[in-house]
Amino acid sequence: MHLPNLEEAKDRTSKENKYINLDENYKKVFQGKKYFLRTYGCQMNVHDSEALRAYLETLGFTSTEKIEYANVVVLNTCAIRENARDKVIGFLGKCKYLKKNRDNFKIVLAGCMSEQPDVIEDIRKNHKYIDIIIGTHNLPDLPKLLLESFNKQVIEVYSNSDEVIEGFNYERDSKYTAWVNIMYGCDKFCTYCIVPYTRGRERSRRLESIIKEVEDLKNKGYKEVTLLGQNVNAYGRDINETFSHLLECVAKTGIERIRFVTSHPWNFTDEMIKVIAKYKNIMPYIHLPIQSGSNEILKKMNRRYTREEYLDLFHKMKEKIPGVSITTDIIVGFPGETRKDFEDTLDIVKTCEYDGAYTFIFSPREGTPAAKMKDDTPISEKETRLQELNELVNYYSNKSNQKLLNKTVEVLILGDSEKDPNKVYGYTDTMKLVNVNGPKDIIGKIVNVKITETKSFSLDGDYIDEKIVA
Ligand code: 5AD
Ligand code: SF4
């Protein structure tokens, strides 16, 4: 069978909706073929995978959970810490083995690892069985690369285009809650972080285009959108817009729940706080990474705020946004972190009593400034600090969950509970996970739930009734 080559594939795509409207002939080529997609890392990757799925399914592929049945394996990778990378390398070993025994078994490496020069070099030398490497900027190129790869072995590397992609046709994982990407990249250059190198400069999507996407989702019955950006509240700086204005416009669409991640304290304005407090459909939940409680370390991290400035912002949020829940990210063992610096971090956790925190041991990323900084704290000491921090963090998340015991809260029910097949699960407005004793037909609805038990990372509750929409 003749497979169209790269040039033919390009010709057949329309400019506006680049690679989505592929000719029906391509579908015939891939009809009956299966893909296996695995996603590593952050929400941005989870959402990118929804685009990858859409491309694959438009080409005629169907999804399989069993890699043994797949014709194409796509790994959407993460580079933020070394262990994320190790997981991918481990899984590639399995793919290599499967490829030995199968014809036309294609392996695609996508995501942040594909944007790291040292990874590309390693793959060229040691992982020649990988067919396609596709960067985070070039997801729309997947169909044409796949078409080409079924003709011959190709390795293509794509990087650093400054494109802003509008109008993706996502194959969304949920029918009730949707990610909406509002900007790409990050300009902050925190000294430990690889993201500005793998995702490029900050580029904002057009406001009208975002609003249209939210309105379409609402009309399709979606109850919740989460606005996504590596640095979500820096939205608009490149196009003379502001995040607070966007947030207000999204609130006015009337969609029932609006969330946004991840906010940088440096870009959080009073106007944003005002808008969040004003609109009931903007959820009282803010993820506000602090990274460290020590001014010395914050400076070395290039975080652009002091602990005092962070605390001012934190207290302002607590005061102005009723019932707000705030979570954070913390890195321990940054180069040069002393016991005293670490105690400053513990102190911030005690002051803020976070609803939750993601905690990490510093992982040097090649090409970032922090990877070259002198680091003489032994790993065993870093592990001890992490454990001590986690105990404190868990104490406070438990404490905040306990406040909900016997209270009635609104929960958007998203599906069957993983813990117990007889239950369903969902999230409170403050982003707490609840396993709910209730009928299956409440999936997709916002309902009142009475909390009957609290744990560190989740709550249990009984369904009462549906939320009355005013
Ligand atoms: N080492 C450890 N943690 C990191 N993070 C980002 N880069 C690194 C690194 N090199 C953490 C930060 C960030 C979260 C997404 O991952 O806390 O907020
Ligand atoms: Fe990385 Fe800092 Fe940008 Fe967050 S703000 S993505 S930690 S560089």
Side-chain angles (χ1 to χ4, degrees):
M1 186 186 297
H2 167 73
L3 280 164
N5 66 27
L6 202 57
E7 284 315 305
E8 284 171 312
K10 269 187 196 154
D11 287 347
R12 291 188 191 200
T13 57
S14 82
K15 250 207 154 130
E16 311 76 65
N17 204 353
K18 277 220 242 169
Y19 304 107
I20 297 273
N21 295 325
L22 288 165
D23 189 295
E24 286 296 306
N25 286 332
Y26 296 136
K27 283 200 182 171
K28 283 186 206 139
V29 172
F30 292 115
Q31 210 72 53
K33 290 204 165 29
K34 295 197 183 321
Y35 73 91
F36 173 96
L37 171 66
R38 177 165 284 189
T39 310
Y40 300 83
C42 67
Q43 292 98 337
M44 194 63 84
N45 263 18
V46 171
H47 191 38
D48 282 351
S49 282
E50 293 180 330
L52 291 168
R53 247 179 227 292
Y55 292 133
L56 289 158
E57 295 190 8
T58 307
L59 284 171
F61 283 93
T62 52
S63 158
T64 175
E65 299 285 309
K66 288 200 165 41
I67 189 170
E68 292 78 8
Y69 298 153
N71 305 92
V72 172
V73 173
V74 183
L75 303 184
N76 194 6
T77 63
C78 170
I80 200 113
R81 283 170 292 275
E82 194 62 27
N83 57 1
R85 183 159 145 175
D86 290 346
K87 276 190 212 157
V88 174
I89 301 290
F91 198 71
L92 278 171
K94 183 169 182 178
C95 296
K96 183 181 177 186
Y97 172 77
L98 286 170
K99 190 166 174 131
K100 273 195 193 138
N101 305 311
R102 297 200 64 170
D103 293 334
N104 254 348
F105 179 78
K106 303 294 175 189
I107 302 171
V108 182
L109 194 82
C112 286
M113 275 174 65
S114 308
E115 295 281 353
Q116 291 183 286
D118 57 315
V119 172
I120 306 297
E121 205 185 309
D122 179 42
I123 285 172
R124 281 196 189 290
K125 265 200 226 135
N126 305 318
H127 302 274
K128 291 198 171 120
Y129 54 90
I130 293 175
D131 299 278
I132 296 172
I133 307 174
I134 183 166
T136 56
H137 305 275
N138 302 77
L139 301 186
D141 291 327
L142 181 67
K144 68 176 185 182
L145 290 174
L146 268 178
L147 289 168
E148 180 76 348
S149 81
F150 272 78
N151 269 342
K152 63 175 174 44
Q153 172 112 353
V154 285
I155 289 198
E156 300 236 7
V157 182
Y158 283 86
S159 65
N160 287 341
S161 108
D162 278 341
E163 239 177 308
V164 173
I165 301 161
E166 303 281 6
F168 258 130
N169 191 11
Y170 292 101
E171 189 64 37
R172 296 186 193 268
D173 294 341
S174 166
K175 292 200 292 258
Y176 318 113
T177 180
W179 305 109
V180 174
N181 199 181
I182 65 164
M183 62 182 300
Y184 299 91
C186 179
D187 281 357
K188 288 289 179 297
F189 287 94
C190 300
T191 54
Y192 51 81
C193 186
I194 195 79
V195 168
Y197 308 92
T198 60
R199 295 257 171 197
R201 298 291 68 72
E202 282 175 12
R203 284 104 65 210
S204 302
R205 281 183 60 198
R206 287 197 314 275
L207 187 133
E208 316 80 69
S209 162
I210 298 168
I211 299 302
K212 182 170 179 310
E213 189 172 337
V214 175
E215 276 167 350
D216 287 349
L217 288 164
K218 184 181 169 220
N219 293 337
K220 280 187 192 147
Y222 278 84
K223 296 284 191 306
E224 180 178 88
V225 290
T226 302
L227 309 179
L228 260 191
Q230 234 78 42
N231 206 337
V232 77
N233 56 334
Y235 172 81
R237 281 152 44 96
D238 53 332
I239 56 167
N240 205 17
E241 261 302 338
T242 61
F243 182 61
S244 50
H245 180 224
L246 172 73
L247 210 46
E248 187 149 32
C249 294
V250 175
K252 284 181 181 161
T253 64
I255 189 136
E256 288 192 58
R257 284 182 159 202
I258 301 155
R259 303 185 184 282
F260 51 91
V261 278
T262 288
S263 299
H264 193 296
W266 193 77
N267 290 110
F268 225 105
T269 61
D270 288 352
E271 193 56 31
M272 289 172 200
I273 297 180
K274 221 191 262 172
V275 172
I276 298 166
K278 179 170 168 192
Y279 290 93
K280 280 213 158 57
N281 55 348
I282 303 178
M283 295 297 100
Y285 166 69
I286 299 169
H287 184 58
L288 195 70
I290 173 127
Q291 311 297 2
S292 167
S294 149
N295 280 338
E296 202 64 37
I297 298 296
L298 285 171
K299 203 160 174 206
K300 279 182 152 183
M301 286 177 163
N302 189 31
R303 286 295 289 180
R304 303 160 189 238
Y305 52 79
T306 60
R307 60 179 278 138
E308 292 76 20
E309 285 161 344
Y310 181 95
L311 284 174
D312 275 355
L313 175 65
F314 181 93
H315 292 309
K316 213 186 297 175
M317 286 172 173
K318 284 278 177 188
E319 184 198 331
K320 305 256 164 113
I321 307 169
V324 72
S325 116
I326 300 180
T327 55
T328 201
D329 288 346
I330 298 169
I331 298 176
V332 300
F334 187 82
E337 184 190 72
T338 61
R339 178 72 208 176
K340 168 77 179 67
D341 292 320
F342 175 64
E343 278 168 10
D344 286 348
T345 298
L346 295 178
D347 184 65
I348 281 267
V349 173
K350 284 180 198 154
T351 306
C352 295
E353 302 200 359
Y354 288 111
D355 291 86
Y358 298 95
T359 56
F360 313 99
I361 290 183
F362 168 72
S363 169
R365 312 313 296 137
E366 197 170 310
T368 62
K372 295 194 205 85
M373 292 180 191
K374 185 161 174 264
D375 184 2
D376 46 18
T377 312
I379 184 70
S380 56
E381 171 60 23
K382 294 187 183 193
E383 279 164 357
T384 309
R385 286 181 196 173
L386 181 70
Q387 206 181 339
E388 198 176 338
L389 175 64
N390 284 346
E391 276 165 22
L392 197 65
V393 160
N394 291 348
Y395 170 79
Y396 287 112
S397 54
N398 229 329
K399 186 173 167 192
S400 114
N401 283 350
Q402 274 168 10
K403 287 187 197 146
L404 292 179
L405 191 62
N406 296 322
K407 297 253 161 55
T408 298
V409 291
E410 284 178 5
V411 179
L412 169 57
I413 306 292
L414 293 176
D416 291 332
S417 163
E418 276 180 20
K419 286 266 156 65
D420 178 348
N422 296 317
K423 289 188 175 180
V424 289
Y425 84 97
Y427 289 90
T428 64
D429 56 354
T430 51
M431 200 61 195
K432 292 186 191 292
L433 171 64
V434 194
N435 289 302
V436 181
N437 210 348
K440 297 281 179 191
D441 65 3
I442 59 172
I443 292 175
K445 293 179 179 161
I446 299 175
V447 298
N448 291 310
V449 171
K450 183 166 180 200
I451 302 302
T452 52
E453 202 181 328
T454 68
K455 303 166 183 161
S456 276
F457 305 109
S458 68
L459 306 163
D460 286 334
D462 290 337
Y463 165 67
I464 300 181
D465 55 15
E466 275 183 40
K467 177 189 171 188
I468 298 167
V469 183

